[in-house]
Structure formats: structure tokens, C-alpha cells
Amino acid sequence: MASTSSTPLSISSSSSLIDAKASRQSAVASPQCVSLPTLPPPPVQPQNRPWKATAYCRKIARNVMTMATGEAPAEVASTELPEIVKTVQEAWDKVEDKYAVSSLVVAGGVALWGSTGLISAIDRLPLIPGVLELVGIGYSGWFAYKNLVFKPDR
């Protein structure tokens, strides 16, 4: 019966796999060493937005001041919603069937997304964009000739 012995593999500190049996053999013979690629250093995230941390600290300070005095600071009390937001809120309050309106908005978003994908797929075809461009140029020329060139039709 043949003896089955497994040779353990170890990872050394130099990031290479070394066969334990090969390390016992002489170095002049073929060493069985496989080097692993090194990992890149982690990306350094620069502090591009120190103002964000400062604004957050000011917000916390305002909240602490509000809790301590029981009053809202003048800056917080004077903030008002923009006019467009008020208009949208009033229009939303007037709607009776909010479920239908929200369903139409979602369906419109899905239709917009789908049409964008369809136009992108057509644009990737090799011949169609050029043909459509020629059709557009031809139609623009025909429209200008028919409606803009002669004085009585203007």
C-alpha cells in the first residue's frame, strides 16, 4: 500500500507560497515558490469638504442651545419654504385621488426610463443614427422651403 502524506503549504511574510518539502531540499534544485501579487494601498480620501463638518457642528450647537434655553434661535425660526414647494403642497392637497396621481407619476418615470433605453439602443446600431440624421436634415430643409422662404406664407 502506498503511503499518502500531504505536504503542508505555508505563507511566509514575503507574500509567497512555499512548499514545505521544497524548503528542505537544496536551493540549487528547483525551488517551488509562487509569488503572490501585492495589494494596492488603500485609497486616501481627501478632506474636500471641511465646510460640511463645520456646518454640522454649528447645527449641533444650535440644537444644544435650543434645548438649553427652550427657544428656537432666530436663524431657525425665520426659515421658510420656497414658493414652489408651497404651490406643490397646495396642489397636492387639492387632489382627491392621490393613489391614481402617484401611479401616473411612477408610470411616467418608468416610461421615461424605458424610452431612454430604447433611444440608446437605437443609437448604438451602426447605420440607423446616420439615416435618422439625414431624415431630420431633409425635413428641416423642406419645412424651411415650404413655410419660411416665400413671403405670403410667412
Side-chain angles (χ1 to χ4, degrees):
M1 229 175 159
S3 166
T4 58
S5 65
S6 64
T7 307
L9 294 176
S10 64
I11 298 177
S12 68
S13 63
S14 66
S15 298
S16 61
L17 282 174
I18 301 172
D19 189 2
K21 191 183 245 184
S23 64
R24 286 184 250 138
Q25 296 174 352
S26 66
V28 179
S30 63
Q32 296 179 354
C33 180
V34 178
S35 65
L36 297 174
T38 59
L39 293 174
V44 178
Q45 296 178 353
Q47 293 291 335
N48 291 342
R49 297 177 274 171
W51 54 269
K52 192 171 186 179
T54 306
Y56 181 71
C57 290
R58 285 185 189 147
K59 184 177 178 182
I60 290 175
R62 273 188 258 144
N63 289 342
V64 169
M65 185 174 72
T66 302
M67 287 187 274
T69 61
E71 301 174 355
E75 297 173 7
V76 176
S78 67
T79 58
E80 294 182 11
L81 295 174
E83 189 66 31
I84 186 83
V85 174
K86 289 180 182 178
T87 307
V88 170
Q89 283 179 343
E90 290 172 3
W92 184 251
D93 290 337
K94 291 178 184 176
V95 172
E96 292 179 14
D97 195 6
K98 292 181 168 88
Y99 179 75
V101 172
S102 59
S103 297
L104 285 173
V105 168
V106 169
V110 169
L112 182 67
W113 175 70
S115 64
T116 303
L118 179 69
I119 291 172
S120 174
I122 289 173
D123 194 34
R124 280 187 252 133
L125 294 174
L127 204 62
I128 303 239
V131 171
L132 291 177
E133 187 175 353
L134 287 175
V135 168
I137 291 171
Y139 180 77
S140 297
W142 174 80
F143 181 83
Y145 176 75
K146 176 114 171 125
N147 297 321
L148 302 176
V149 173
F150 300 110
K151 192 172 189 174
D153 293 337
R154 281 187 268 176

Short mmCIF file of all heavy atoms in Angstrom, two decimals, residues 68-125:
data_model
loop_
_atom_site.label_atom_id
_atom_site.label_comp_id
_atom_site.label_asym_id
_atom_site.label_seq_id
_atom_site.Cartn_x
_atom_site.Cartn_y
_atom_site.Cartn_z
N ALA A 68 -31.28 73.99 25.69
CA ALA A 68 -30.91 74.62 26.95
C ALA A 68 -31.84 75.79 27.28
O ALA A 68 -32.25 75.96 28.42
CB ALA A 68 -29.47 75.10 26.89
N THR A 69 -32.18 76.61 26.29
CA THR A 69 -32.99 77.79 26.56
C THR A 69 -34.47 77.54 26.37
O THR A 69 -35.29 78.28 26.91
CB THR A 69 -32.58 78.95 25.62
OG1 THR A 69 -32.80 78.54 24.27
CG2 THR A 69 -31.14 79.34 25.84
N GLY A 70 -34.82 76.54 25.59
CA GLY A 70 -36.22 76.27 25.34
C GLY A 70 -36.78 77.12 24.22
O GLY A 70 -37.96 77.06 23.92
N GLU A 71 -35.97 77.94 23.58
CA GLU A 71 -36.40 78.80 22.49
C GLU A 71 -35.67 78.38 21.22
O GLU A 71 -34.57 77.86 21.27
CB GLU A 71 -36.06 80.26 22.76
CG GLU A 71 -36.68 80.82 24.01
CD GLU A 71 -36.18 82.23 24.29
OE1 GLU A 71 -35.29 82.69 23.55
OE2 GLU A 71 -36.67 82.85 25.22
N ALA A 72 -36.28 78.66 20.10
CA ALA A 72 -35.62 78.40 18.83
C ALA A 72 -34.78 79.62 18.47
O ALA A 72 -35.20 80.76 18.66
CB ALA A 72 -36.65 78.15 17.74
N PRO A 73 -33.57 79.40 17.96
CA PRO A 73 -32.76 80.54 17.53
C PRO A 73 -33.43 81.28 16.38
O PRO A 73 -34.28 80.75 15.69
CB PRO A 73 -31.45 79.91 17.07
CG PRO A 73 -31.50 78.48 17.45
CD PRO A 73 -32.88 78.14 17.81
N ALA A 74 -33.05 82.53 16.20
CA ALA A 74 -33.66 83.38 15.17
C ALA A 74 -33.43 82.82 13.78
O ALA A 74 -34.28 82.93 12.91
CB ALA A 74 -33.10 84.80 15.26
N GLU A 75 -32.27 82.19 13.54
CA GLU A 75 -31.97 81.64 12.22
C GLU A 75 -32.93 80.52 11.87
O GLU A 75 -33.40 80.42 10.75
CB GLU A 75 -30.54 81.12 12.18
CG GLU A 75 -29.49 82.18 12.39
CD GLU A 75 -28.12 81.57 12.50
OE1 GLU A 75 -27.99 80.36 12.28
OE2 GLU A 75 -27.19 82.30 12.82
N VAL A 76 -33.23 79.66 12.82
CA VAL A 76 -34.08 78.52 12.56
C VAL A 76 -35.53 78.95 12.41
O VAL A 76 -36.26 78.45 11.57
CB VAL A 76 -33.93 77.46 13.69
CG1 VAL A 76 -34.88 76.31 13.49
CG2 VAL A 76 -32.50 76.98 13.77
N ALA A 77 -35.98 79.89 13.20
CA ALA A 77 -37.37 80.32 13.17
C ALA A 77 -37.70 81.08 11.89
O ALA A 77 -38.84 81.08 11.45
CB ALA A 77 -37.66 81.19 14.38
N SER A 78 -36.73 81.74 11.27
CA SER A 78 -37.01 82.57 10.10
C SER A 78 -36.96 81.80 8.79
O SER A 78 -37.21 82.39 7.75
CB SER A 78 -36.01 83.73 10.06
OG SER A 78 -34.72 83.23 9.81
N THR A 79 -36.64 80.51 8.81
CA THR A 79 -36.57 79.77 7.55
C THR A 79 -37.97 79.47 7.06
O THR A 79 -38.83 79.00 7.80
CB THR A 79 -35.79 78.45 7.73
OG1 THR A 79 -36.43 77.67 8.73
CG2 THR A 79 -34.35 78.72 8.10
N GLU A 80 -38.21 79.75 5.78
CA GLU A 80 -39.49 79.49 5.16
C GLU A 80 -39.28 78.61 3.94
O GLU A 80 -38.19 78.57 3.36
CB GLU A 80 -40.15 80.80 4.73
CG GLU A 80 -40.54 81.68 5.89
CD GLU A 80 -41.24 82.95 5.42
OE1 GLU A 80 -41.58 83.02 4.24
OE2 GLU A 80 -41.41 83.84 6.25
N LEU A 81 -40.32 77.92 3.56
CA LEU A 81 -40.25 77.08 2.38
C LEU A 81 -40.28 77.94 1.12
O LEU A 81 -40.93 78.99 1.09
CB LEU A 81 -41.42 76.10 2.36
CG LEU A 81 -41.45 75.07 3.48
CD1 LEU A 81 -42.74 74.28 3.40
CD2 LEU A 81 -40.26 74.14 3.38
N PRO A 82 -39.60 77.51 0.07
CA PRO A 82 -39.67 78.26 -1.18
C PRO A 82 -41.09 78.27 -1.74
O PRO A 82 -41.92 77.42 -1.40
CB PRO A 82 -38.73 77.49 -2.11
CG PRO A 82 -37.88 76.66 -1.23
CD PRO A 82 -38.66 76.42 0.01
N GLU A 83 -41.36 79.22 -2.59
CA GLU A 83 -42.70 79.38 -3.16
C GLU A 83 -43.14 78.17 -3.96
O GLU A 83 -44.30 77.77 -3.92
CB GLU A 83 -42.72 80.64 -4.04
CG GLU A 83 -44.10 81.04 -4.50
CD GLU A 83 -45.00 81.49 -3.37
OE1 GLU A 83 -44.49 82.06 -2.38
OE2 GLU A 83 -46.21 81.26 -3.48
N ILE A 84 -42.21 77.55 -4.67
CA ILE A 84 -42.57 76.37 -5.49
C ILE A 84 -43.03 75.22 -4.61
O ILE A 84 -43.96 74.49 -4.97
CB ILE A 84 -41.39 75.96 -6.40
CG1 ILE A 84 -41.80 74.83 -7.36
CG2 ILE A 84 -40.21 75.50 -5.61
CD1 ILE A 84 -42.50 75.33 -8.58
N VAL A 85 -42.42 75.06 -3.45
CA VAL A 85 -42.81 73.97 -2.55
C VAL A 85 -44.21 74.22 -2.01
O VAL A 85 -45.03 73.30 -1.92
CB VAL A 85 -41.79 73.82 -1.41
CG1 VAL A 85 -42.24 72.80 -0.39
CG2 VAL A 85 -40.42 73.46 -1.96
N LYS A 86 -44.51 75.47 -1.68
CA LYS A 86 -45.86 75.80 -1.19
C LYS A 86 -46.90 75.54 -2.27
O LYS A 86 -47.98 75.00 -2.00
CB LYS A 86 -45.91 77.27 -0.77
CG LYS A 86 -45.15 77.55 0.50
CD LYS A 86 -45.25 79.02 0.85
CE LYS A 86 -44.44 79.34 2.08
NZ LYS A 86 -44.49 80.77 2.41
N THR A 87 -46.58 75.90 -3.51
CA THR A 87 -47.51 75.67 -4.61
C THR A 87 -47.76 74.19 -4.82
O THR A 87 -48.91 73.76 -5.03
CB THR A 87 -46.95 76.30 -5.90
OG1 THR A 87 -46.62 77.67 -5.66
CG2 THR A 87 -47.94 76.20 -7.04
N VAL A 88 -46.70 73.39 -4.77
CA VAL A 88 -46.85 71.94 -4.95
C VAL A 88 -47.66 71.34 -3.81
O VAL A 88 -48.53 70.48 -4.03
CB VAL A 88 -45.46 71.27 -5.08
CG1 VAL A 88 -45.57 69.77 -5.01
CG2 VAL A 88 -44.78 71.70 -6.36
N GLN A 89 -47.43 71.80 -2.59
CA GLN A 89 -48.19 71.27 -1.45
C GLN A 89 -49.68 71.63 -1.56
O GLN A 89 -50.54 70.80 -1.28
CB GLN A 89 -47.63 71.83 -0.14
CG GLN A 89 -46.36 71.17 0.31
CD GLN A 89 -45.82 71.77 1.60
OE1 GLN A 89 -46.19 72.85 2.01
NE2 GLN A 89 -44.90 71.04 2.22
N GLU A 90 -49.97 72.85 -2.01
CA GLU A 90 -51.37 73.23 -2.19
C GLU A 90 -52.03 72.41 -3.28
O GLU A 90 -53.18 71.97 -3.14
CB GLU A 90 -51.46 74.72 -2.52
CG GLU A 90 -51.12 75.62 -1.35
CD GLU A 90 -51.03 77.08 -1.75
OE1 GLU A 90 -51.29 77.40 -2.94
OE2 GLU A 90 -50.70 77.90 -0.89
N ALA A 91 -51.32 72.18 -4.38
CA ALA A 91 -51.88 71.38 -5.47
C ALA A 91 -52.09 69.94 -5.02
O ALA A 91 -53.09 69.30 -5.38
CB ALA A 91 -50.96 71.43 -6.68
N TRP A 92 -51.17 69.40 -4.23
CA TRP A 92 -51.30 68.02 -3.75
C TRP A 92 -52.49 67.90 -2.79
O TRP A 92 -53.18 66.88 -2.77
CB TRP A 92 -50.01 67.57 -3.08
CG TRP A 92 -50.03 66.14 -2.65
CD1 TRP A 92 -50.09 65.69 -1.37
CD2 TRP A 92 -50.02 64.98 -3.47
NE1 TRP A 92 -50.10 64.32 -1.35
CE2 TRP A 92 -50.06 63.85 -2.63
CE3 TRP A 92 -49.97 64.78 -4.85
CZ2 TRP A 92 -50.05 62.56 -3.12
CZ3 TRP A 92 -49.97 63.49 -5.34
CH2 TRP A 92 -50.01 62.39 -4.47
N ASP A 93 -52.72 68.92 -1.98
CA ASP A 93 -53.85 68.89 -1.06
C ASP A 93 -55.19 68.93 -1.80
O ASP A 93 -56.19 68.39 -1.31
CB ASP A 93 -53.77 70.05 -0.07
CG ASP A 93 -52.62 69.88 0.92
OD1 ASP A 93 -52.19 68.73 1.12
OD2 ASP A 93 -52.15 70.89 1.47
N LYS A 94 -55.23 69.57 -2.98
CA LYS A 94 -56.46 69.65 -3.75
C LYS A 94 -56.80 68.35 -4.47
O LYS A 94 -57.95 68.15 -4.87
CB LYS A 94 -56.36 70.77 -4.79
CG LYS A 94 -56.36 72.15 -4.17
CD LYS A 94 -56.22 73.21 -5.23
CE LYS A 94 -56.11 74.59 -4.62
NZ LYS A 94 -55.89 75.63 -5.64
N VAL A 95 -55.82 67.47 -4.67
CA VAL A 95 -56.04 66.22 -5.41
C VAL A 95 -56.89 65.28 -4.56
O VAL A 95 -56.62 65.06 -3.38
CB VAL A 95 -54.69 65.56 -5.76
CG1 VAL A 95 -54.88 64.19 -6.34
CG2 VAL A 95 -53.91 66.44 -6.69
N GLU A 96 -57.94 64.72 -5.20
CA GLU A 96 -58.81 63.80 -4.48
C GLU A 96 -58.30 62.37 -4.54
O GLU A 96 -58.33 61.65 -3.54
CB GLU A 96 -60.22 63.86 -5.07
CG GLU A 96 -60.91 65.17 -4.80
CD GLU A 96 -62.30 65.21 -5.42
OE1 GLU A 96 -62.82 64.15 -5.81
OE2 GLU A 96 -62.85 66.31 -5.50
N ASP A 97 -57.81 61.93 -5.71
CA ASP A 97 -57.36 60.55 -5.88
C ASP A 97 -55.83 60.53 -5.93
O ASP A 97 -55.22 60.48 -6.99
CB ASP A 97 -57.96 59.98 -7.17
CG ASP A 97 -57.83 58.47 -7.23
OD1 ASP A 97 -57.39 57.88 -6.22
OD2 ASP A 97 -58.17 57.89 -8.27
N LYS A 98 -55.23 60.58 -4.76
CA LYS A 98 -53.77 60.64 -4.67
C LYS A 98 -53.11 59.35 -5.17
O LYS A 98 -52.01 59.39 -5.72
CB LYS A 98 -53.35 60.93 -3.23
CG LYS A 98 -53.73 62.32 -2.80
CD LYS A 98 -53.28 62.60 -1.40
CE LYS A 98 -53.38 64.02 -1.06
NZ LYS A 98 -54.44 64.63 -0.56
N TYR A 99 -53.79 58.22 -5.01
CA TYR A 99 -53.25 56.94 -5.46
C TYR A 99 -53.10 56.94 -6.99
O TYR A 99 -52.07 56.51 -7.51
CB TYR A 99 -54.14 55.79 -5.01
CG TYR A 99 -53.66 54.45 -5.46
CD1 TYR A 99 -52.57 53.84 -4.85
CD2 TYR A 99 -54.29 53.78 -6.51
CE1 TYR A 99 -52.12 52.60 -5.27
CE2 TYR A 99 -53.85 52.55 -6.94
CZ TYR A 99 -52.77 51.96 -6.31
OH TYR A 99 -52.32 50.74 -6.74
N ALA A 100 -54.10 57.44 -7.70
CA ALA A 100 -54.04 57.46 -9.17
C ALA A 100 -52.96 58.41 -9.66
O ALA A 100 -52.21 58.10 -10.60
CB ALA A 100 -55.40 57.86 -9.73
N VAL A 101 -52.85 59.56 -9.03
CA VAL A 101 -51.85 60.54 -9.45
C VAL A 101 -50.44 60.00 -9.20
O VAL A 101 -49.56 60.11 -10.06
CB VAL A 101 -52.06 61.89 -8.72
CG1 VAL A 101 -50.92 62.84 -8.98
CG2 VAL A 101 -53.38 62.51 -9.14
N SER A 102 -50.22 59.40 -8.04
CA SER A 102 -48.89 58.85 -7.77
C SER A 102 -48.59 57.68 -8.70
O SER A 102 -47.44 57.49 -9.12
CB SER A 102 -48.77 58.44 -6.30
OG SER A 102 -49.74 57.48 -5.98
N SER A 103 -49.60 56.89 -9.06
CA SER A 103 -49.39 55.79 -10.02
C SER A 103 -49.02 56.33 -11.39
O SER A 103 -48.15 55.78 -12.07
CB SER A 103 -50.65 54.93 -10.14
OG SER A 103 -50.94 54.32 -8.91
N LEU A 104 -49.67 57.42 -11.81
CA LEU A 104 -49.33 58.04 -13.09
C LEU A 104 -47.91 58.60 -13.08
O LEU A 104 -47.20 58.52 -14.08
CB LEU A 104 -50.33 59.14 -13.43
CG LEU A 104 -51.71 58.68 -13.89
CD1 LEU A 104 -52.65 59.86 -14.04
CD2 LEU A 104 -51.59 57.93 -15.20
N VAL A 105 -47.49 59.16 -11.96
CA VAL A 105 -46.13 59.70 -11.87
C VAL A 105 -45.11 58.57 -11.97
O VAL A 105 -44.11 58.67 -12.69
CB VAL A 105 -45.95 60.49 -10.55
CG1 VAL A 105 -44.49 60.80 -10.29
CG2 VAL A 105 -46.75 61.77 -10.61
N VAL A 106 -45.38 57.45 -11.28
CA VAL A 106 -44.46 56.31 -11.36
C VAL A 106 -44.45 55.74 -12.77
O VAL A 106 -43.39 55.41 -13.31
CB VAL A 106 -44.85 55.23 -10.31
CG1 VAL A 106 -44.10 53.94 -10.54
CG2 VAL A 106 -44.58 55.75 -8.91
N ALA A 107 -45.63 55.60 -13.40
CA ALA A 107 -45.69 55.09 -14.76
C ALA A 107 -44.97 56.02 -15.73
O ALA A 107 -44.28 55.55 -16.65
CB ALA A 107 -47.15 54.92 -15.18
N GLY A 108 -45.08 57.32 -15.53
CA GLY A 108 -44.35 58.27 -16.37
C GLY A 108 -42.84 58.13 -16.21
O GLY A 108 -42.10 58.21 -17.19
N GLY A 109 -42.40 57.93 -14.97
CA GLY A 109 -40.97 57.72 -14.74
C GLY A 109 -40.46 56.45 -15.41
O GLY A 109 -39.38 56.44 -16.01
N VAL A 110 -41.24 55.38 -15.31
CA VAL A 110 -40.84 54.11 -15.95
C VAL A 110 -40.83 54.27 -17.47
O VAL A 110 -39.93 53.78 -18.15
CB VAL A 110 -41.78 52.97 -15.50
CG1 VAL A 110 -41.59 51.73 -16.34
CG2 VAL A 110 -41.56 52.66 -14.04
N ALA A 111 -41.83 54.99 -18.03
CA ALA A 111 -41.88 55.22 -19.47
C ALA A 111 -40.69 56.06 -19.93
O ALA A 111 -40.09 55.79 -20.98
CB ALA A 111 -43.18 55.91 -19.85
N LEU A 112 -40.32 57.06 -19.15
CA LEU A 112 -39.15 57.88 -19.48
C LEU A 112 -37.88 57.06 -19.47
O LEU A 112 -37.04 57.16 -20.37
CB LEU A 112 -39.05 59.06 -18.52
CG LEU A 112 -37.92 60.05 -18.76
CD1 LEU A 112 -38.16 60.79 -20.07
CD2 LEU A 112 -37.84 61.04 -17.62
N TRP A 113 -37.73 56.21 -18.45
CA TRP A 113 -36.56 55.34 -18.35
C TRP A 113 -36.51 54.37 -19.53
O TRP A 113 -35.46 54.16 -20.13
CB TRP A 113 -36.59 54.60 -17.02
CG TRP A 113 -35.52 53.59 -16.85
CD1 TRP A 113 -34.18 53.82 -16.68
CD2 TRP A 113 -35.68 52.18 -16.83
NE1 TRP A 113 -33.51 52.64 -16.55
CE2 TRP A 113 -34.41 51.61 -16.64
CE3 TRP A 113 -36.78 51.33 -16.95
CZ2 TRP A 113 -34.21 50.24 -16.58
CZ3 TRP A 113 -36.58 49.98 -16.87
CH2 TRP A 113 -35.30 49.44 -16.70
N GLY A 114 -37.65 53.79 -19.87
CA GLY A 114 -37.70 52.84 -20.99
C GLY A 114 -37.41 53.51 -22.31
O GLY A 114 -36.70 52.95 -23.16
N SER A 115 -37.95 54.69 -22.53
CA SER A 115 -37.70 55.38 -23.80
C SER A 115 -36.23 55.81 -23.91
O SER A 115 -35.66 55.79 -25.00
CB SER A 115 -38.62 56.59 -23.95
OG SER A 115 -38.35 57.54 -22.94
N THR A 116 -35.63 56.15 -22.80
CA THR A 116 -34.21 56.48 -22.81
C THR A 116 -33.38 55.27 -23.22
O THR A 116 -32.44 55.37 -24.01
CB THR A 116 -33.76 56.99 -21.43
OG1 THR A 116 -34.56 58.10 -21.07
CG2 THR A 116 -32.30 57.39 -21.42
N GLY A 117 -33.74 54.11 -22.66
CA GLY A 117 -33.04 52.87 -23.04
C GLY A 117 -33.26 52.52 -24.50
O GLY A 117 -32.32 52.09 -25.19
N LEU A 118 -34.47 52.72 -25.01
CA LEU A 118 -34.75 52.43 -26.42
C LEU A 118 -33.96 53.35 -27.34
O LEU A 118 -33.36 52.89 -28.33
CB LEU A 118 -36.25 52.59 -26.68
CG LEU A 118 -36.71 52.32 -28.11
CD1 LEU A 118 -36.56 50.84 -28.44
CD2 LEU A 118 -38.14 52.77 -28.30
N ILE A 119 -33.93 54.62 -27.04
CA ILE A 119 -33.17 55.56 -27.86
C ILE A 119 -31.68 55.24 -27.81
O ILE A 119 -30.98 55.31 -28.82
CB ILE A 119 -33.46 57.01 -27.42
CG1 ILE A 119 -34.89 57.37 -27.79
CG2 ILE A 119 -32.48 57.99 -28.04
CD1 ILE A 119 -35.36 58.67 -27.24
N SER A 120 -31.19 54.85 -26.65
CA SER A 120 -29.78 54.48 -26.52
C SER A 120 -29.48 53.24 -27.35
O SER A 120 -28.42 53.15 -27.99
CB SER A 120 -29.45 54.24 -25.05
OG SER A 120 -28.15 53.76 -24.90
N ALA A 121 -30.39 52.26 -27.36
CA ALA A 121 -30.18 51.05 -28.14
C ALA A 121 -30.20 51.35 -29.63
O ALA A 121 -29.39 50.82 -30.40
CB ALA A 121 -31.25 50.01 -27.80
N ILE A 122 -31.10 52.23 -30.07
CA ILE A 122 -31.15 52.60 -31.49
C ILE A 122 -29.89 53.36 -31.88
O ILE A 122 -29.35 53.17 -32.97
CB ILE A 122 -32.41 53.43 -31.78
CG1 ILE A 122 -33.65 52.54 -31.71
CG2 ILE A 122 -32.33 54.12 -33.13
CD1 ILE A 122 -34.95 53.29 -31.81
N ASP A 123 -29.40 54.19 -30.98
CA ASP A 123 -28.21 54.99 -31.27
C ASP A 123 -26.97 54.11 -31.43
O ASP A 123 -26.03 54.47 -32.13
CB ASP A 123 -28.00 56.03 -30.17
CG ASP A 123 -27.00 57.08 -30.56
OD1 ASP A 123 -26.96 57.43 -31.76
OD2 ASP A 123 -26.27 57.56 -29.69
N ARG A 124 -26.95 52.95 -30.78
CA ARG A 124 -25.80 52.05 -30.88
C ARG A 124 -25.78 51.23 -32.16
O ARG A 124 -24.78 50.62 -32.48
CB ARG A 124 -25.76 51.11 -29.67
CG ARG A 124 -25.16 51.80 -28.45
CD ARG A 124 -24.97 50.83 -27.33
NE ARG A 124 -26.00 51.17 -26.33
CZ ARG A 124 -26.78 50.32 -25.72
NH1 ARG A 124 -26.67 49.04 -25.96
NH2 ARG A 124 -27.68 50.72 -24.86
N LEU A 125 -26.90 51.20 -32.89
CA LEU A 125 -26.92 50.47 -34.16
C LEU A 125 -26.06 51.21 -35.16
O LEU A 125 -26.01 52.44 -35.19
CB LEU A 125 -28.35 50.34 -34.67
CG LEU A 125 -29.27 49.47 -33.80
CD1 LEU A 125 -30.69 49.54 -34.31
CD2 LEU A 125 -28.78 48.04 -33.77
#
